[in-house]
Amino acid sequence: MKIAIFGLGYVGFTAACCLTREGHAVIGIDVNADKVAEINAGQPPIKEPKVAELLTEALSKNLIRAVVETPDLSDVDLAIVCVGTPSATDGSHNMDFVAEVTRQIAETVSPDRARPLTVTYRSTFRPGTVRQLIEPIFRNSLGEQTGQAVEIIYNPEFLREVSAVDDYFNPPKIVVGTADGNRSDVMDALHENLDAPVFYTAFEEAEITKFVDNTWHATKVAFANEIGRICHRMGVSAKTMHEIFVSDTKLNISPYYTRPGGAFGGSCLPKDVRALQHIAGEVGAHTHLIDSLLQTNQAHKTYQAQDIMARLPEGGRVLMAGLAFKAGTDDLRESPNVDIARRLLDAGYQLSIYDPAIEPADLRGQNLGYAFTHLPNVGSLLVNRATAEAGPWDLVIGSNRIINDLNLGDTEVVRTYEYD
């Protein structure tokens, strides 16, 4: 198939690379001209394992190109919308980017096509968005010919940063929302090589899926960290507790997101929890546990920062190993480590940061904005591996994955991603 992808961030760019591996021809559209130029030159705009190799292979086969303006869609079989839905001030999702891209598609697509253009959305939508926002935009441009011009699909993604390529080819499930819950030939063809349970539903059931998943993941992280704090205070081994807890795969479901450690962050969990809180408040659902998640997550960051400071002399030298919300990515959005770094600097400690995945010059968009809003001097704080290993440091804090790769001698270490 020929596929157009609108939005070349983590989800869109990863999907573009994976689709080319399956032989599809992909044209990516993004408003960021620098990002477009990088992709066409073979340089991934994100730090994500395996995408560089996929991009190189796709370019060698002429299966991928990126553009700034919406292209002619007459020979495109499928358009995938992956633009951002950032948090608005009240916690709801800002749908401006989604609406604008939808208008561009509606103004470009021809109603005289041999078959409708399948337009699928992977951005996170609150239930009712397709019927109340997306469909009206298409109808406003195409009128009674909407059904001849487009087939609207909601198809949430379940990619985790750092393992996104593997997650794409081995998804936990496939959810496809359609107007009537019936199957789509184009979506069946898109997923024919993927081995996963497939759920065809109406739009609304598909739309709420991502909220439920991400809020559950956030719940598991927050729950594990509250238990971890209790264990820490009482001198109980949280590591042993966790081993016992996750051994029960019949009732305790899964080990993922349940290991006591760092606060949750990144571009999905905080944003989707806020949005679900907003929805619950509007409908009067009184979701007290959900309402507590961001508060307990913030409390956990405070607890960890205080625990770190209690181990330091006044004005002590600290090395933070890992600034992104997860080792192996350069995504700083809502990273708990950014918050802890800011607290340490405000308290007068001498902070240096080592994160092999982060280059300030590569930060862009919301990632760049978040970094320089919350930690404006981030560039001057970053050090290379040699400096990180040379020290001397009063304390090293951060990710097991990064710390274990460093030769730190006898320096005291606090692994902020888990309690031992």
Side-chain angles (χ1 to χ4, degrees):
M1 290 191 291
K2 185 171 182 179
I3 300 173
I5 296 183
F6 291 81
L8 296 173
Y10 281 90
V11 173
F13 179 70
T14 300
C17 291
C18 293
L19 287 166
T20 60
R21 168 57 64 86
E22 296 191 308
H24 301 296
V26 175
I27 180 168
I29 305 96
D30 197 284
V31 295
N32 189 316
D34 290 338
K35 184 186 295 186
V36 166
E38 287 174 357
I39 293 170
N40 289 330
Q43 178 63 43
I46 62 171
K47 298 286 176 63
E48 181 67 36
K50 302 183 181 181
V51 295
E53 297 85 349
L54 291 177
L55 176 60
T56 298
E57 180 183 346
L59 287 169
S60 71
K61 297 178 179 178
N62 294 319
L63 289 178
I64 191 170
R65 66 185 178 96
V67 298
V68 174
E69 301 293 338
T70 300
D72 178 13
L73 300 174
S74 59
D75 61 344
V76 170
D77 301 292
L78 171 65
I80 302 176
V81 179
C82 301
V83 296
T85 54
S87 289
T89 54
D90 62 359
S92 64
H93 282 168
N94 183 327
M95 303 303 294
D96 289 350
F97 301 137
V98 170
E100 177 58 29
V101 166
T102 301
R103 279 191 287 269
Q104 292 175 17
I105 295 172
E107 291 170 359
T108 305
V109 69
S110 170
D112 299 325
R113 294 172 55 94
R115 63 161 309 281
L117 170 66
T118 298
V119 183
T120 182
Y121 292 82
R122 288 187 173 169
S123 307
T124 307
F125 285 0
R126 67 171 288 161
T129 297
V130 173
R131 297 194 200 275
Q132 297 167 20
L133 175 67
I134 303 302
E135 287 185 335
I137 291 174
F138 279 114
R139 284 199 300 269
N140 185 58
S141 290
L142 298 165
E144 295 181 357
Q145 295 177 303
T146 299
Q148 298 170 244
V150 293
E151 175 193 37
I152 303 172
I153 302 288
Y154 184 70
N155 175 220
E157 49 80 23
F158 305 102
L159 307 181
R160 296 168 295 171
E161 291 183 33
V162 183
S163 58
V165 172
D166 291 337
D167 287 346
Y168 184 91
F169 289 114
N170 298 282
K173 57 183 175 287
I174 295 169
V175 180
V176 182
T178 63
D180 51 13
N182 291 333
R183 302 186 76 90
S184 160
D185 291 341
V186 170
M187 297 307 289
D188 282 345
L190 183 71
H191 298 135
E192 65 181 352
N193 295 324
L194 302 180
D195 183 16
V198 180
F199 298 88
Y200 271 95
T201 75
F203 291 133
E204 291 76 9
E205 286 74 21
E207 287 168 324
I208 202 169
T209 298
K210 191 70 177 292
F211 286 109
V212 175
D213 282 11
N214 278 347
T215 302
W216 172 232
H217 300 330
T219 300
K220 289 188 287 185
V221 174
F223 170 76
N225 284 330
E226 290 186 355
I227 299 301
R229 295 201 296 272
I230 295 170
C231 292
H232 192 241
R233 286 293 193 200
M234 299 184 69
V236 175
S237 171
K239 180 179 180 181
T240 301
M241 176 279 300
H242 178 253
E243 289 173 352
I244 297 169
F245 181 78
V246 300
S247 70
D248 183 355
T249 57
K250 183 176 181 179
L251 296 178
N252 291 343
I253 304 173
S254 162
Y256 292 108
Y257 299 101
T258 59
R259 185 181 67 228
F264 60 79
S267 61
C268 289
L269 268 61
K271 175 171 67 73
D272 287 353
V273 171
R274 285 192 201 99
L276 192 56
Q277 280 183 275
H278 179 73
I279 294 169
E282 283 190 335
V283 301
H286 306 298
T287 50
H288 299 297
L289 173 61
I290 293 171
D291 291 343
S292 75
L293 290 177
L294 295 175
Q295 183 178 358
T296 193
N297 199 53
Q298 190 65 27
H300 193 63
K301 288 186 282 187
T302 299
Y303 179 88
Q304 288 193 313
Q306 291 173 342
D307 184 60
I308 290 164
M309 293 178 198
R311 300 166 185 257
L312 285 166
E314 185 174 349
R317 289 171 53 84
V318 185
L319 174 68
M320 174 175 279
L323 184 63
F325 89 100
K326 183 192 291 189
T329 177
D330 65 344
D331 195 347
L332 299 177
R333 290 172 291 180
E334 303 214 38
S335 169
N337 303 314
V338 171
D339 187 69
I340 291 174
R342 179 182 54 79
R343 293 176 190 232
L344 290 172
L345 290 170
D346 289 345
Y349 295 99
Q350 301 176 66
L351 177 68
S352 296
I353 299 169
Y354 170 68
D355 193 322
I358 293 177
E359 290 289 343
D362 292 341
L363 301 177
R364 54 173 56 83
Q366 294 176 38
N367 201 12
L368 176 66
Y370 190 87
F372 284 94
T373 298
H374 293 81
L375 208 60
N377 58 337
V378 61
S380 65
L381 298 174
L382 290 167
V383 299
N384 59 27
R385 182 190 183 102
T387 302
E389 292 183 332
W393 312 109
D394 294 301
L395 191 65
V396 175
I397 63 175
S399 158
N400 267 343
R401 178 173 169 181
I402 297 176
I403 288 173
N404 291 341
D405 191 46
L406 292 172
N407 181 12
L408 297 169
D410 297 326
T411 304
E412 183 182 0
V413 170
V414 175
R415 290 169 167 83
T416 58
Y417 281 13
E418 72 177 31
Y419 288 111
D420 292 323

